[in-house]
Amino acid sequence: MKWVNQLQRADEIAFFWLSMHLRRPSGGCLARWISRSGDGYGYVATCLLAFLLQDPIAQPLFLLLLVGFAMELPVYWLLKNTLKRARPCDRVAHFRSLIQASDRFSFPSGHTTAAFLFAGITAALMPALAPWLYAWAAAIGLSRVALGVHYPTDILAGAGLGMALAALTRWLVNGVYL
């Protein structure tokens, strides 16, 4: 288990460096705003806007997101509550996060998982937006580190899980990988 301790130590070093540098420009205000954009309301608003604009992707987007999030929530919850990785503010003495997380454990990042799931599904339907969607999803993950509630590996795991669930969702709904 020596490699696990080494990985944890490297993760903590990366966490402190990133959180310090990512907080500097706005003292965490920008990170709070970016993080909130991944709270879920934006996903619903995107679907509603697509329907209001009578966009032809509205129905497939809604269906894919519905199936994707129906899988994501229990998988994310099961992983988080099985692995039970303590959040940085609970593990590191004298460190305070900028926000209170909505649950106890940090691995994987639920915000990042959801953002990459959304980006992967939406990018398949609107490929021209893919760079923007994935940049936004990455910003969600970095904001969670800046706010002090996740380690970098929580973010990487969330991104990988979100992209895998997006691919699985597209395959299940469409019968083929888009």
Side-chain angles (χ1 to χ4, degrees), residues 70-154:
M71 289 190 302
E72 183 262 347
L73 288 169
V75 168
Y76 142 81
W77 186 89
L78 182 66
L79 283 170
K80 193 168 270 212
N81 288 285
T82 300
L83 299 172
K84 297 182 179 183
R85 183 181 197 187
R87 292 190 182 273
C89 57
D90 296 330
R91 183 170 164 75
V92 180
H94 308 297
F95 177 79
R96 290 182 32 174
S97 60
L98 296 179
I99 63 168
Q100 179 70 28
S102 61
D103 58 35
R104 267 185 74 192
F105 305 115
S106 76
F107 187 91
S109 165
H111 274 76
T112 309
T113 302
F116 274 91
L117 171 64
F118 178 83
I121 287 172
T122 308
L125 296 171
M126 296 184 279
L129 295 180
W132 297 104
L133 291 163
Y134 286 113
W136 166 80
I140 294 280
L142 289 172
S143 76
R144 303 301 286 172
V145 174
L147 293 170
V149 293
H150 284 291
Y151 292 103
T153 53
D154 300 339

Side-chain angles (χ1 to χ4, degrees), residues 1 9 13 23 27 53-54 74 77 91 109 117 156-157 170:
M1 295 307 261
R9 182 68 187 132
I13 291 167
R23 288 180 185 190
L53 295 174
Q54 298 180 345
W77 186 89
R91 183 170 164 75
S109 165
L117 171 64
L156 292 174
R170 293 189 316 260

Side-chain angles (χ1 to χ4, degrees), residues 6-109:
Q6 290 173 333
L7 180 61
Q8 178 66 35
R9 182 68 187 132
D11 212 13
E12 286 176 1
I13 291 167
F15 166 77
F16 284 115
W17 188 89
L18 280 169
S19 67
M20 179 181 66
H21 286 83
L22 293 171
R23 288 180 185 190
R24 277 190 185 162
S26 67
C29 290
L30 180 61
R32 279 186 183 95
W33 183 85
I34 292 169
S35 178
R36 283 188 192 128
S37 75
D39 281 350
Y41 309 110
Y43 310 138
V44 173
T46 300
C47 288
L48 288 175
L49 183 62
F51 276 110
L52 287 172
L53 295 174
Q54 298 180 345
D55 192 310
I57 68 143
Q59 189 171 358
L61 178 65
F62 176 74
L63 177 62
L64 286 163
L65 290 175
L66 188 65
V67 171
F69 282 111
M71 289 190 302
E72 183 262 347
L73 288 169
V75 168
Y76 142 81
W77 186 89
L78 182 66
L79 283 170
K80 193 168 270 212
N81 288 285
T82 300
L83 299 172
K84 297 182 179 183
R85 183 181 197 187
R87 292 190 182 273
C89 57
D90 296 330
R91 183 170 164 75
V92 180
H94 308 297
F95 177 79
R96 290 182 32 174
S97 60
L98 296 179
I99 63 168
Q100 179 70 28
S102 61
D103 58 35
R104 267 185 74 192
F105 305 115
S106 76
F107 187 91
S109 165

